[in-house]
Amino acid sequence: MGQGEGMDGSCEGNLLEVRDLSLTLGGNNILRDINMDVGHGRIHALIGPNGAGKTTLIRAIMGGMPHKGTVRFHFCDNGRIGYVPQLLEFDHSVPMTVFDFLFLMLRRTPLFLSRRKPMRDEILKILSATRCEQLIDRMVGYLSGGEFRRVLLAQALVPKPELLLLDEPASNVDEVGARQFERMLIDLKEQQGHSILMVSHDMQTILRIADHVTAINRTVTYDGSPDNLSLSDLFVNVQPEVSPMVAQ
Amino acid sequence: MDFIYDIISGWAKAGYMPSIFEHTFMIRGLLAAIIIGPLLGAMGTVVITKKLSFFTQTIGNAAMSGVAIGLLFGEPVDGTYAGLYGFCLIVALLMTFVKNRSRLSNDTIIGVVLAQVLGIGIIMMIVVTSQFNIHQVEGILFGSLITLNDTDLITLAVASVLVGILFAYNFNRVMLGGFNPILAKARGLSPVALEYIFVTLMTIVVVASLKLIGALLVLVLVVVPAAAAQNVVSNLRQFVWVSVVFSSVSTALGLLLSGLVPVPSGAVIVLVSSVLFYGSLLLKPLLSKGGIGQGQV
């Protein structure tokens, strides 16, 4: 039985616990004493103004940034984290289709030596999870922001993750697209049992779909139900501190 | 090797091939072109995706120092393998190390090293040989079929097979890491380790092909066929295969033409690949109306 597994085999309690996480970059304290818990099977929103350290926190949770404090996962299955980044910088002229993009991530057989047919059905099925099968032969560089977000979310769902980390998943997406995206996230939580930690700027989205909110501005300024969140919680002015070494 | 030379020479004498292939050095060149062309074409697709074009040029330039170091340590003039491979690998790994440890862009790091290694190489060559032997320098810079010997050809074949296998094995991961390192990392891969693997493989192939193509021109054969392919394809699979075809045609046809006119093989190979590049630009609008650009493979 895994750390977060209940007696009946279902997962309960916290999937992720962050304790006293602090992070310094170039002498500036980017994050200070962050404490937060993400529960199993919940949509947890991470909110804060620009430069609050949301993306840095996500990267620290993924193990990509050196930090102080602890990040503890209580997985009860494969322990996989699916990740959808905020900005994906890439060369738009590379002739890579959505099929190629997913193939590179899912298979070891060299793409140029493999047969497309058998893999095509599998990739269509993966894309159907985010309702974007029609994009399979489109070049990644020519997709709209919303289309690419769907493809990124589809790749994050395979193999099935225990935790989905979404960094502003609905940025650059129009209102209709954003609503569709919200519906998708609710379906993923309710039908697939996914746990989701999502960075978002959109208060309306958070009020509609999040179970729990943590607001940060370099440190935690609010942690609780979205219903009790006020705008003032988001703009608590926390000045960036300079580490003692730099000050000297 | 003589057995193979006799067969091909026999075909040339019988009129099945141009008469220039009656000469052993041209047969060696042809075999080298057949071996290295497809591999450079395939690897060029990753070089373009990872924006490593001028990295290749830097490795070519470092070859001059490599030859001088080889001579300094007593290697024969026509076989400075340890100096060549050793120094070029050190330069390649050092550049990758600096790139991953500093905030400087790839472009800046390559700009700093690119001309330095050539300048250092020329000075070292003069110091080591106590004279400026223009033919020795010319052979490395522009390629020289006359100096290509059996050992070079065997080295080229062995290196190409090994690099080809390792390149194919790592292709998906290297391409993903080149396309976007953050996503590769999220998939449990190490983009930095993959970069070290790729630059090592690339360096081995570039050094192995120097006598055929030349240090100043090798960049073109790595980049131009892949760039030409990029103009006419619509997916990665086509990208690799069309680049392989363009590169193979460039090397084989370039070599044949260099046998007919007395100019370095590398320069003619470059010209042929350039014709293919501009041809692909002309083809691009036609293909996008329903040809390869819209289809599936």
Side-chain angles (χ1 to χ4, degrees), chain A residues 59 62 80-90 96 100-102 104-106 140 148-149 151-158 165-166, chain B residues 172-173 175-191 194:
Chain A
R59 289 193 181 168
M62 288 178 66
R80 186 178 171 266
I81 298 173
Y83 176 55
V84 176
Q86 178 188 10
L87 288 171
L88 201 64
E89 288 179 7
F90 62 91
M96 183 183 290
D100 298 331
F101 181 61
L102 289 169
L104 292 181
M105 285 194 242
L106 302 173
V140 171
F148 193 42
R149 288 266 147 193
V151 172
L152 285 175
L153 182 58
Q155 65 80 25
L157 297 174
V158 182
L165 290 179
L166 311 178
Chain B
N172 292 3
R173 299 187 298 175
M175 190 56 106
L176 183 62
F179 185 71
N180 188 274
I182 295 172
L183 269 185
K185 210 167 180 178
R187 286 267 153 193
L189 303 176
S190 168
L194 289 169

Side-chain angles (χ1 to χ4, degrees), chain B residues 75-127:
Chain B
E75 287 191 277
V77 178
D78 59 346
T80 51
Y81 298 111
L84 255 177
Y85 283 95
F87 185 73
C88 290
L89 277 171
I90 288 170
V91 170
L93 296 176
L94 194 64
M95 276 198 297
T96 311
F97 178 79
V98 172
K99 183 194 158 195
N100 287 304
R101 286 299 175 107
S102 77
R103 289 185 172 185
L104 297 174
S105 71
N106 211 11
D107 198 35
T108 307
I109 294 163
I110 291 170
V112 168
V113 183
L114 182 66
Q116 284 173 356
V117 286
L118 183 59
I120 293 168
I122 291 171
I123 292 168
M124 283 182 69
M125 189 72 92
I126 293 169
V127 170

Side-chain angles (χ1 to χ4, degrees), chain A residues 93 107 112 114 116 155, chain B residues 172 187 230 236-237 241 297:
Chain A
S93 68
R107 285 287 180 271
F112 61 93
S114 63
R116 288 174 74 92
Q155 65 80 25
Chain B
N172 292 3
R187 286 267 153 193
Q230 201 173 3
L236 274 187
R237 188 183 157 92
W241 285 114
V297 170

